[in-house]
Amino acid sequence: MRNVTRSAKLRYKHGMNELAFSAPAERNKKPILDVLRTLLPAQGRALEIACGTGQHVVWFAANLPQWTWQPTDQTADLFPDIMVRIGEARLVNVQPPQLLNVLTGSWPNEYERHDLIYCANMLHIAPWACCAGLMRGAAEHLAPGGRLVTYGPYLEDEVPTAEGNLKFDAALRAENTDWGIRRREDVESVAHAAGLQLAARHAMPANNLLLVWQRPG
Ligand SMILES: C[S@@+](CC[C@H](N)C(=O)[O-])C[C@H]1O[C@@H](n2cnc3c(N)ncnc32)[C@H](O)[C@@H]1O
């Protein structure tokens, strides 16, 4: 498989007929699913933002079969790999991936609402403006009672930052000055401006957080 490291750039091993592969996504998909199971109703419609290799969406769809899944990303580069993954898993509850750039405001299925909007590991590997784009789009496209889930590393004022996250943050900023691990409190401010509030914070393995965002009330 082509390898996607946790580094800022997607780096692939080259090879014929190999799928792009993220080792971190493979490690964190089960802990994330375990939390999603505690949050989600038995069935619903999910939209994934920044789906990357598609490992998460295929895993979630296989394990939450009453949910339908729409993966999206700003680039179609890995869509062929995702289609292969969906086919190999014989999933009927995942739609073909669609282009969605959170900065453009053009979201698929725009007349439909989503019970879950899921976005892992985008906020720190994208310009800060993507946070506002994500929050505004989610506030607009969540069904009543729906949740936005974000996953990844964050800085927090009251929590000492793990050494690994400090190094990761420095590496991100060295690679692209628009990137970097975000302060959870800053993300909260942007969410509030869009009409969402932080409903739950789950500490996850490897110093990551899973954050749940909802409309008030
Ligand atoms: C590190 S990968 C994360 C992939 C996957 N969610 C995971 O956790 O393995 C970051 C992803 O964010 C996507 N991305 C970056 N900027 C974006 C934007 N403006 N809108 C949508 N996706 C974006 C990239 O294309 C890439 O697939």
Side-chain angles (χ1 to χ4, degrees), residues 88-122:
E88 284 180 346
R90 299 176 187 274
L91 293 169
V92 294
N93 57 335
V94 187
Q95 297 298 312
Q98 292 193 36
L99 283 171
L100 190 161
N101 183 332
V102 295
L103 291 176
T104 67
S106 168
W107 291 49
N109 307 329
E110 56 189 357
Y111 299 112
E112 302 182 47
R113 295 290 176 260
H114 302 277
D115 304 294
L116 169 69
I117 296 177
Y118 171 78
C119 180
N121 293 314
M122 182 194 75

PDB file of all heavy atoms in Angstrom, residues 88-122:
ATOM      1  N   GLU A  88     -14.200  -3.284  -2.373  1.00  0.00           N
ATOM      2  CA  GLU A  88     -13.620  -4.466  -1.708  1.00  0.00           C
ATOM      3  C   GLU A  88     -14.408  -4.831  -0.450  1.00  0.00           C
ATOM      4  O   GLU A  88     -14.543  -5.997  -0.109  1.00  0.00           O
ATOM      5  CB  GLU A  88     -12.157  -4.200  -1.349  1.00  0.00           C
ATOM      6  CG  GLU A  88     -11.226  -4.267  -2.555  1.00  0.00           C
ATOM      7  CD  GLU A  88      -9.779  -3.991  -2.189  1.00  0.00           C
ATOM      8  OE1 GLU A  88      -9.526  -3.492  -1.075  1.00  0.00           O
ATOM      9  OE2 GLU A  88      -8.907  -4.269  -3.044  1.00  0.00           O
ATOM     10  N   ALA A  89     -14.931  -3.800   0.237  1.00  0.00           N
ATOM     11  CA  ALA A  89     -15.693  -4.060   1.471  1.00  0.00           C
ATOM     12  C   ALA A  89     -17.157  -4.370   1.156  1.00  0.00           C
ATOM     13  O   ALA A  89     -17.938  -4.635   2.068  1.00  0.00           O
ATOM     14  CB  ALA A  89     -15.590  -2.852   2.402  1.00  0.00           C
ATOM     15  N   ARG A  90     -17.530  -4.311  -0.141  1.00  0.00           N
ATOM     16  CA  ARG A  90     -18.909  -4.602  -0.577  1.00  0.00           C
ATOM     17  C   ARG A  90     -19.927  -3.760   0.181  1.00  0.00           C
ATOM     18  O   ARG A  90     -20.970  -4.257   0.610  1.00  0.00           O
ATOM     19  CB  ARG A  90     -19.230  -6.088  -0.402  1.00  0.00           C
ATOM     20  CG  ARG A  90     -18.325  -6.980  -1.226  1.00  0.00           C
ATOM     21  CD  ARG A  90     -18.609  -8.453  -0.937  1.00  0.00           C
ATOM     22  NE  ARG A  90     -17.649  -9.315  -1.593  1.00  0.00           N
ATOM     23  CZ  ARG A  90     -17.756  -9.752  -2.845  1.00  0.00           C
ATOM     24  NH1 ARG A  90     -18.791  -9.415  -3.565  1.00  0.00           N
ATOM     25  NH2 ARG A  90     -16.829 -10.527  -3.363  1.00  0.00           N
ATOM     26  N   LEU A  91     -19.615  -2.490   0.329  1.00  0.00           N
ATOM     27  CA  LEU A  91     -20.497  -1.608   1.086  1.00  0.00           C
ATOM     28  C   LEU A  91     -21.547  -0.995   0.169  1.00  0.00           C
ATOM     29  O   LEU A  91     -21.229  -0.527  -0.923  1.00  0.00           O
ATOM     30  CB  LEU A  91     -19.678  -0.488   1.748  1.00  0.00           C
ATOM     31  CG  LEU A  91     -18.720  -0.967   2.839  1.00  0.00           C
ATOM     32  CD1 LEU A  91     -17.773   0.160   3.249  1.00  0.00           C
ATOM     33  CD2 LEU A  91     -19.496  -1.475   4.052  1.00  0.00           C
ATOM     34  N   VAL A  92     -22.780  -0.995   0.651  1.00  0.00           N
ATOM     35  CA  VAL A  92     -23.853  -0.367  -0.129  1.00  0.00           C
ATOM     36  C   VAL A  92     -24.317   0.933   0.544  1.00  0.00           C
ATOM     37  O   VAL A  92     -25.214   1.599   0.047  1.00  0.00           O
ATOM     38  CB  VAL A  92     -25.058  -1.324  -0.287  1.00  0.00           C
ATOM     39  CG1 VAL A  92     -24.665  -2.524  -1.132  1.00  0.00           C
ATOM     40  CG2 VAL A  92     -25.600  -1.764   1.068  1.00  0.00           C
ATOM     41  N   ASN A  93     -23.706   1.263   1.669  1.00  0.00           N
ATOM     42  CA  ASN A  93     -24.144   2.456   2.411  1.00  0.00           C
ATOM     43  C   ASN A  93     -23.129   3.593   2.337  1.00  0.00           C
ATOM     44  O   ASN A  93     -23.140   4.485   3.188  1.00  0.00           O
ATOM     45  CB  ASN A  93     -24.450   2.103   3.876  1.00  0.00           C
ATOM     46  CG  ASN A  93     -23.278   1.460   4.603  1.00  0.00           C
ATOM     47  OD1 ASN A  93     -22.404   0.851   3.986  1.00  0.00           O
ATOM     48  ND2 ASN A  93     -23.256   1.604   5.918  1.00  0.00           N
ATOM     49  N   VAL A  94     -22.242   3.557   1.338  1.00  0.00           N
ATOM     50  CA  VAL A  94     -21.304   4.666   1.111  1.00  0.00           C
ATOM     51  C   VAL A  94     -21.504   5.191  -0.303  1.00  0.00           C
ATOM     52  O   VAL A  94     -21.421   4.425  -1.263  1.00  0.00           O
ATOM     53  CB  VAL A  94     -19.832   4.230   1.278  1.00  0.00           C
ATOM     54  CG1 VAL A  94     -18.908   5.447   1.202  1.00  0.00           C
ATOM     55  CG2 VAL A  94     -19.612   3.493   2.584  1.00  0.00           C
ATOM     56  N   GLN A  95     -21.757   6.465  -0.421  1.00  0.00           N
ATOM     57  CA  GLN A  95     -21.875   7.101  -1.728  1.00  0.00           C
ATOM     58  C   GLN A  95     -20.472   7.320  -2.314  1.00  0.00           C
ATOM     59  O   GLN A  95     -19.496   7.428  -1.554  1.00  0.00           O
ATOM     60  CB  GLN A  95     -22.574   8.458  -1.594  1.00  0.00           C
ATOM     61  CG  GLN A  95     -23.995   8.373  -1.090  1.00  0.00           C
ATOM     62  CD  GLN A  95     -24.882   7.600  -2.039  1.00  0.00           C
ATOM     63  OE1 GLN A  95     -24.872   7.838  -3.239  1.00  0.00           O
ATOM     64  NE2 GLN A  95     -25.633   6.634  -1.499  1.00  0.00           N
ATOM     65  N   PRO A  96     -20.348   7.410  -3.629  1.00  0.00           N
ATOM     66  CA  PRO A  96     -19.043   7.773  -4.202  1.00  0.00           C
ATOM     67  C   PRO A  96     -18.577   9.116  -3.638  1.00  0.00           C
ATOM     68  O   PRO A  96     -19.404   9.999  -3.388  1.00  0.00           O
ATOM     69  CB  PRO A  96     -19.338   7.884  -5.706  1.00  0.00           C
ATOM     70  CG  PRO A  96     -20.563   7.064  -5.912  1.00  0.00           C
ATOM     71  CD  PRO A  96     -21.375   7.181  -4.654  1.00  0.00           C
ATOM     72  N   PRO A  97     -17.270   9.260  -3.431  1.00  0.00           N
ATOM     73  CA  PRO A  97     -16.770  10.524  -2.860  1.00  0.00           C
ATOM     74  C   PRO A  97     -17.075  11.705  -3.774  1.00  0.00           C
ATOM     75  O   PRO A  97     -17.130  11.562  -4.996  1.00  0.00           O
ATOM     76  CB  PRO A  97     -15.264  10.293  -2.734  1.00  0.00           C
ATOM     77  CG  PRO A  97     -14.958   9.114  -3.590  1.00  0.00           C
ATOM     78  CD  PRO A  97     -16.194   8.307  -3.694  1.00  0.00           C
ATOM     79  N   GLN A  98     -17.271  12.856  -3.155  1.00  0.00           N
ATOM     80  CA  GLN A  98     -17.536  14.088  -3.900  1.00  0.00           C
ATOM     81  C   GLN A  98     -16.538  15.156  -3.471  1.00  0.00           C
ATOM     82  O   GLN A  98     -16.006  15.119  -2.350  1.00  0.00           O
ATOM     83  CB  GLN A  98     -18.939  14.609  -3.602  1.00  0.00           C
ATOM     84  CG  GLN A  98     -20.047  13.730  -4.145  1.00  0.00           C
ATOM     85  CD  GLN A  98     -21.395  14.443  -4.097  1.00  0.00           C
ATOM     86  OE1 GLN A  98     -21.482  15.647  -4.311  1.00  0.00           O
ATOM     87  NE2 GLN A  98     -22.437  13.685  -3.801  1.00  0.00           N
ATOM     88  N   LEU A  99     -16.341  16.111  -4.379  1.00  0.00           N
ATOM     89  CA  LEU A  99     -15.481  17.245  -4.042  1.00  0.00           C
ATOM     90  C   LEU A  99     -16.204  18.180  -3.093  1.00  0.00           C
ATOM     91  O   LEU A  99     -17.366  18.525  -3.300  1.00  0.00           O
ATOM     92  CB  LEU A  99     -15.098  18.008  -5.313  1.00  0.00           C
ATOM     93  CG  LEU A  99     -14.024  17.361  -6.184  1.00  0.00           C
ATOM     94  CD1 LEU A  99     -13.914  18.108  -7.511  1.00  0.00           C
ATOM     95  CD2 LEU A  99     -12.675  17.348  -5.455  1.00  0.00           C
ATOM     96  N   LEU A 100     -15.533  18.572  -2.041  1.00  0.00           N
ATOM     97  CA  LEU A 100     -16.038  19.608  -1.139  1.00  0.00           C
ATOM     98  C   LEU A 100     -14.837  20.308  -0.520  1.00  0.00           C
ATOM     99  O   LEU A 100     -14.043  19.685   0.189  1.00  0.00           O
ATOM    100  CB  LEU A 100     -16.927  19.017  -0.040  1.00  0.00           C
ATOM    101  CG  LEU A 100     -17.705  20.014   0.825  1.00  0.00           C
ATOM    102  CD1 LEU A 100     -18.867  19.338   1.526  1.00  0.00           C
ATOM    103  CD2 LEU A 100     -16.836  20.731   1.835  1.00  0.00           C
ATOM    104  N   ASN A 101     -14.718  21.578  -0.833  1.00  0.00           N
ATOM    105  CA  ASN A 101     -13.690  22.410  -0.202  1.00  0.00           C
ATOM    106  C   ASN A 101     -14.412  23.305   0.787  1.00  0.00           C
ATOM    107  O   ASN A 101     -15.281  24.098   0.390  1.00  0.00           O
ATOM    108  CB  ASN A 101     -12.970  23.240  -1.270  1.00  0.00           C
ATOM    109  CG  ASN A 101     -11.843  24.066  -0.689  1.00  0.00           C
ATOM    110  OD1 ASN A 101     -11.875  24.454   0.480  1.00  0.00           O
ATOM    111  ND2 ASN A 101     -10.846  24.361  -1.495  1.00  0.00           N
ATOM    112  N   VAL A 102     -14.077  23.186   2.070  1.00  0.00           N
ATOM    113  CA  VAL A 102     -14.832  23.939   3.080  1.00  0.00           C
ATOM    114  C   VAL A 102     -14.690  25.447   2.890  1.00  0.00           C
ATOM    115  O   VAL A 102     -15.487  26.207   3.428  1.00  0.00           O
ATOM    116  CB  VAL A 102     -14.417  23.552   4.517  1.00  0.00           C
ATOM    117  CG1 VAL A 102     -14.772  22.119   4.822  1.00  0.00           C
ATOM    118  CG2 VAL A 102     -12.949  23.837   4.779  1.00  0.00           C
ATOM    119  N   LEU A 103     -13.693  25.869   2.115  1.00  0.00           N
ATOM    120  CA  LEU A 103     -13.516  27.311   1.897  1.00  0.00           C
ATOM    121  C   LEU A 103     -14.473  27.863   0.847  1.00  0.00           C
ATOM    122  O   LEU A 103     -14.726  29.065   0.812  1.00  0.00           O
ATOM    123  CB  LEU A 103     -12.078  27.607   1.457  1.00  0.00           C
ATOM    124  CG  LEU A 103     -11.007  27.406   2.516  1.00  0.00           C
ATOM    125  CD1 LEU A 103      -9.628  27.642   1.925  1.00  0.00           C
ATOM    126  CD2 LEU A 103     -11.257  28.335   3.702  1.00  0.00           C
ATOM    127  N   THR A 104     -15.018  26.986  -0.009  1.00  0.00           N
ATOM    128  CA  THR A 104     -15.836  27.485  -1.114  1.00  0.00           C
ATOM    129  C   THR A 104     -17.295  27.661  -0.745  1.00  0.00           C
ATOM    130  O   THR A 104     -18.020  28.386  -1.410  1.00  0.00           O
ATOM    131  CB  THR A 104     -15.787  26.528  -2.317  1.00  0.00           C
ATOM    132  OG1 THR A 104     -16.433  25.307  -1.937  1.00  0.00           O
ATOM    133  CG2 THR A 104     -14.360  26.253  -2.751  1.00  0.00           C
ATOM    134  N   GLY A 105     -17.753  26.964   0.275  1.00  0.00           N
ATOM    135  CA  GLY A 105     -19.160  27.062   0.636  1.00  0.00           C
ATOM    136  C   GLY A 105     -20.077  26.259  -0.271  1.00  0.00           C
ATOM    137  O   GLY A 105     -21.285  26.327  -0.148  1.00  0.00           O
ATOM    138  N   SER A 106     -19.489  25.477  -1.197  1.00  0.00           N
ATOM    139  CA  SER A 106     -20.317  24.665  -2.093  1.00  0.00           C
ATOM    140  C   SER A 106     -20.318  23.231  -1.576  1.00  0.00           C
ATOM    141  O   SER A 106     -19.353  22.500  -1.770  1.00  0.00           O
ATOM    142  CB  SER A 106     -19.750  24.727  -3.509  1.00  0.00           C
ATOM    143  OG  SER A 106     -20.354  23.751  -4.312  1.00  0.00           O
ATOM    144  N   TRP A 107     -21.360  22.860  -0.892  1.00  0.00           N
ATOM    145  CA  TRP A 107     -21.435  21.540  -0.262  1.00  0.00           C
ATOM    146  C   TRP A 107     -22.362  20.636  -1.058  1.00  0.00           C
ATOM    147  O   TRP A 107     -23.383  21.089  -1.564  1.00  0.00           O
ATOM    148  CB  TRP A 107     -21.954  21.665   1.177  1.00  0.00           C
ATOM    149  CG  TRP A 107     -20.995  22.335   2.122  1.00  0.00           C
ATOM    150  CD1 TRP A 107     -20.333  23.520   1.915  1.00  0.00           C
ATOM    151  CD2 TRP A 107     -20.595  21.878   3.409  1.00  0.00           C
ATOM    152  NE1 TRP A 107     -19.556  23.818   3.005  1.00  0.00           N
ATOM    153  CE2 TRP A 107     -19.692  22.832   3.943  1.00  0.00           C
ATOM    154  CE3 TRP A 107     -20.908  20.758   4.171  1.00  0.00           C
ATOM    155  CZ2 TRP A 107     -19.110  22.685   5.188  1.00  0.00           C
ATOM    156  CZ3 TRP A 107     -20.335  20.616   5.422  1.00  0.00           C
ATOM    157  CH2 TRP A 107     -19.434  21.568   5.920  1.00  0.00           C
ATOM    158  N   PRO A 108     -22.045  19.315  -1.158  1.00  0.00           N
ATOM    159  CA  PRO A 108     -22.940  18.413  -1.894  1.00  0.00           C
ATOM    160  C   PRO A 108     -24.239  18.189  -1.128  1.00  0.00           C
ATOM    161  O   PRO A 108     -24.310  18.445   0.073  1.00  0.00           O
ATOM    162  CB  PRO A 108     -22.138  17.117  -1.991  1.00  0.00           C
ATOM    163  CG  PRO A 108     -21.202  17.166  -0.846  1.00  0.00           C
ATOM    164  CD  PRO A 108     -20.884  18.614  -0.609  1.00  0.00           C
ATOM    165  N   ASN A 109     -25.237  17.684  -1.836  1.00  0.00           N
ATOM    166  CA  ASN A 109     -26.539  17.387  -1.221  1.00  0.00           C
ATOM    167  C   ASN A 109     -27.033  18.597  -0.428  1.00  0.00           C
ATOM    168  O   ASN A 109     -27.496  18.473   0.694  1.00  0.00           O
ATOM    169  CB  ASN A 109     -26.455  16.175  -0.286  1.00  0.00           C
ATOM    170  CG  ASN A 109     -25.865  14.973  -0.973  1.00  0.00           C
ATOM    171  OD1 ASN A 109     -26.033  14.800  -2.171  1.00  0.00           O
ATOM    172  ND2 ASN A 109     -25.151  14.161  -0.233  1.00  0.00           N
ATOM    173  N   GLU A 110     -26.951  19.757  -1.044  1.00  0.00           N
ATOM    174  CA  GLU A 110     -27.141  20.947  -0.226  1.00  0.00           C
ATOM    175  C   GLU A 110     -28.576  21.151   0.212  1.00  0.00           C
ATOM    176  O   GLU A 110     -28.829  21.989   1.073  1.00  0.00           O
ATOM    177  CB  GLU A 110     -26.613  22.192  -0.928  1.00  0.00           C
ATOM    178  CG  GLU A 110     -27.201  22.451  -2.285  1.00  0.00           C
ATOM    179  CD  GLU A 110     -26.444  23.574  -2.970  1.00  0.00           C
ATOM    180  OE1 GLU A 110     -25.546  24.133  -2.344  1.00  0.00           O
ATOM    181  OE2 GLU A 110     -26.775  23.885  -4.117  1.00  0.00           O
ATOM    182  N   TYR A 111     -29.498  20.367  -0.375  1.00  0.00           N
ATOM    183  CA  TYR A 111     -30.873  20.510   0.093  1.00  0.00           C
ATOM    184  C   TYR A 111     -31.215  19.432   1.118  1.00  0.00           C
ATOM    185  O   TYR A 111     -32.355  19.327   1.537  1.00  0.00           O
ATOM    186  CB  TYR A 111     -31.838  20.468  -1.085  1.00  0.00           C
ATOM    187  CG  TYR A 111     -31.565  21.598  -2.041  1.00  0.00           C
ATOM    188  CD1 TYR A 111     -31.075  21.359  -3.307  1.00  0.00           C
ATOM    189  CD2 TYR A 111     -31.752  22.913  -1.630  1.00  0.00           C
ATOM    190  CE1 TYR A 111     -30.778  22.400  -4.157  1.00  0.00           C
ATOM    191  CE2 TYR A 111     -31.463  23.958  -2.484  1.00  0.00           C
ATOM    192  CZ  TYR A 111     -30.971  23.703  -3.737  1.00  0.00           C
ATOM    193  OH  TYR A 111     -30.679  24.738  -4.570  1.00  0.00           O
ATOM    194  N   GLU A 112     -30.202  18.632   1.485  1.00  0.00           N
ATOM    195  CA  GLU A 112     -30.451  17.589   2.471  1.00  0.00           C
ATOM    196  C   GLU A 112     -29.660  17.899   3.724  1.00  0.00           C
ATOM    197  O   GLU A 112     -28.702  18.655   3.697  1.00  0.00           O
ATOM    198  CB  GLU A 112     -30.046  16.237   1.909  1.00  0.00           C
ATOM    199  CG  GLU A 112     -30.795  15.920   0.629  1.00  0.00           C
ATOM    200  CD  GLU A 112     -30.429  14.555   0.098  1.00  0.00           C
ATOM    201  OE1 GLU A 112     -30.415  13.614   0.884  1.00  0.00           O
ATOM    202  OE2 GLU A 112     -30.134  14.464  -1.096  1.00  0.00           O
ATOM    203  N   ARG A 113     -30.047  17.311   4.809  1.00  0.00           N
ATOM    204  CA  ARG A 113     -29.399  17.582   6.086  1.00  0.00           C
ATOM    205  C   ARG A 113     -28.704  16.320   6.599  1.00  0.00           C
ATOM    206  O   ARG A 113     -29.126  15.223   6.313  1.00  0.00           O
ATOM    207  CB  ARG A 113     -30.440  18.059   7.105  1.00  0.00           C
ATOM    208  CG  ARG A 113     -31.060  19.400   6.722  1.00  0.00           C
ATOM    209  CD  ARG A 113     -30.037  20.519   6.869  1.00  0.00           C
ATOM    210  NE  ARG A 113     -30.550  21.802   6.428  1.00  0.00           N
ATOM    211  CZ  ARG A 113     -30.281  22.349   5.243  1.00  0.00           C
ATOM    212  NH1 ARG A 113     -29.552  21.702   4.360  1.00  0.00           N
ATOM    213  NH2 ARG A 113     -30.763  23.529   4.927  1.00  0.00           N
ATOM    214  N   HIS A 114     -27.658  16.521   7.376  1.00  0.00           N
ATOM    215  CA  HIS A 114     -26.861  15.406   7.855  1.00  0.00           C
ATOM    216  C   HIS A 114     -26.974  15.288   9.377  1.00  0.00           C
ATOM    217  O   HIS A 114     -26.903  16.289  10.087  1.00  0.00           O
ATOM    218  CB  HIS A 114     -25.406  15.594   7.448  1.00  0.00           C
ATOM    219  CG  HIS A 114     -25.251  15.707   5.963  1.00  0.00           C
ATOM    220  ND1 HIS A 114     -25.194  14.610   5.133  1.00  0.00           N
ATOM    221  CD2 HIS A 114     -25.202  16.788   5.161  1.00  0.00           C
ATOM    222  CE1 HIS A 114     -25.096  15.011   3.887  1.00  0.00           C
ATOM    223  NE2 HIS A 114     -25.099  16.324   3.868  1.00  0.00           N
ATOM    224  N   ASP A 115     -27.122  14.047   9.851  1.00  0.00           N
ATOM    225  CA  ASP A 115     -27.214  13.812  11.299  1.00  0.00           C
ATOM    226  C   ASP A 115     -25.828  13.827  11.930  1.00  0.00           C
ATOM    227  O   ASP A 115     -25.690  14.053  13.121  1.00  0.00           O
ATOM    228  CB  ASP A 115     -27.893  12.460  11.545  1.00  0.00           C
ATOM    229  CG  ASP A 115     -29.242  12.403  10.864  1.00  0.00           C
ATOM    230  OD1 ASP A 115     -30.137  13.158  11.276  1.00  0.00           O
ATOM    231  OD2 ASP A 115     -29.394  11.632   9.884  1.00  0.00           O
ATOM    232  N   LEU A 116     -24.816  13.542  11.120  1.00  0.00           N
ATOM    233  CA  LEU A 116     -23.422  13.605  11.569  1.00  0.00           C
ATOM    234  C   LEU A 116     -22.587  14.249  10.473  1.00  0.00           C
ATOM    235  O   LEU A 116     -22.713  13.875   9.301  1.00  0.00           O
ATOM    236  CB  LEU A 116     -22.875  12.190  11.845  1.00  0.00           C
ATOM    237  CG  LEU A 116     -21.349  12.102  12.066  1.00  0.00           C
ATOM    238  CD1 LEU A 116     -20.957  12.763  13.392  1.00  0.00           C
ATOM    239  CD2 LEU A 116     -20.881  10.653  12.040  1.00  0.00           C
ATOM    240  N   ILE A 117     -21.789  15.227  10.841  1.00  0.00           N
ATOM    241  CA  ILE A 117     -20.736  15.723   9.954  1.00  0.00           C
ATOM    242  C   ILE A 117     -19.427  15.428  10.677  1.00  0.00           C
ATOM    243  O   ILE A 117     -19.266  15.785  11.859  1.00  0.00           O
ATOM    244  CB  ILE A 117     -20.916  17.224   9.639  1.00  0.00           C
ATOM    245  CG1 ILE A 117     -22.231  17.427   8.859  1.00  0.00           C
ATOM    246  CG2 ILE A 117     -19.730  17.741   8.833  1.00  0.00           C
ATOM    247  CD1 ILE A 117     -22.570  18.879   8.544  1.00  0.00           C
ATOM    248  N   TYR A 118     -18.542  14.717  10.005  1.00  0.00           N
ATOM    249  CA  TYR A 118     -17.333  14.182  10.631  1.00  0.00           C
ATOM    250  C   TYR A 118     -16.109  14.727   9.897  1.00  0.00           C
ATOM    251  O   TYR A 118     -16.052  14.665   8.659  1.00  0.00           O
ATOM    252  CB  TYR A 118     -17.369  12.651  10.551  1.00  0.00           C
ATOM    253  CG  TYR A 118     -16.095  11.985  10.973  1.00  0.00           C
ATOM    254  CD1 TYR A 118     -15.780  11.837  12.318  1.00  0.00           C
ATOM    255  CD2 TYR A 118     -15.192  11.498  10.020  1.00  0.00           C
ATOM    256  CE1 TYR A 118     -14.596  11.226  12.703  1.00  0.00           C
ATOM    257  CE2 TYR A 118     -14.011  10.883  10.402  1.00  0.00           C
ATOM    258  CZ  TYR A 118     -13.724  10.752  11.751  1.00  0.00           C
ATOM    259  OH  TYR A 118     -12.551  10.152  12.126  1.00  0.00           O
ATOM    260  N   CYS A 119     -15.155  15.248  10.645  1.00  0.00           N
ATOM    261  CA  CYS A 119     -13.951  15.826  10.031  1.00  0.00           C
ATOM    262  C   CYS A 119     -12.741  15.519  10.910  1.00  0.00           C
ATOM    263  O   CYS A 119     -12.616  16.063  12.016  1.00  0.00           O
ATOM    264  CB  CYS A 119     -14.129  17.338   9.885  1.00  0.00           C
ATOM    265  SG  CYS A 119     -12.694  18.147   9.138  1.00  0.00           S
ATOM    266  N   ALA A 120     -11.867  14.656  10.432  1.00  0.00           N
ATOM    267  CA  ALA A 120     -10.683  14.260  11.210  1.00  0.00           C
ATOM    268  C   ALA A 120      -9.424  14.823  10.566  1.00  0.00           C
ATOM    269  O   ALA A 120      -9.245  14.750   9.340  1.00  0.00           O
ATOM    270  CB  ALA A 120     -10.590  12.730  11.274  1.00  0.00           C
ATOM    271  N   ASN A 121      -8.595  15.378  11.408  1.00  0.00           N
ATOM    272  CA  ASN A 121      -7.228  15.731  10.991  1.00  0.00           C
ATOM    273  C   ASN A 121      -7.163  16.685   9.807  1.00  0.00           C
ATOM    274  O   ASN A 121      -6.299  16.542   8.938  1.00  0.00           O
ATOM    275  CB  ASN A 121      -6.436  14.439  10.672  1.00  0.00           C
ATOM    276  CG  ASN A 121      -6.203  13.624  11.918  1.00  0.00           C
ATOM    277  OD1 ASN A 121      -5.819  14.162  12.954  1.00  0.00           O
ATOM    278  ND2 ASN A 121      -6.443  12.331  11.833  1.00  0.00           N
ATOM    279  N   MET A 122      -8.069  17.647   9.780  1.00  0.00           N
ATOM    280  CA  MET A 122      -7.991  18.672   8.744  1.00  0.00           C
ATOM    281  C   MET A 122      -7.547  20.017   9.320  1.00  0.00           C
ATOM    282  O   MET A 122      -6.745  20.721   8.698  1.00  0.00           O
ATOM    283  CB  MET A 122      -9.333  18.862   8.031  1.00  0.00           C
ATOM    284  CG  MET A 122      -9.259  19.909   6.905  1.00  0.00           C
ATOM    285  SD  MET A 122     -10.849  20.470   6.289  1.00  0.00           S
ATOM    286  CE  MET A 122     -11.367  21.557   7.623  1.00  0.00           C
TER     287      MET A 122
END
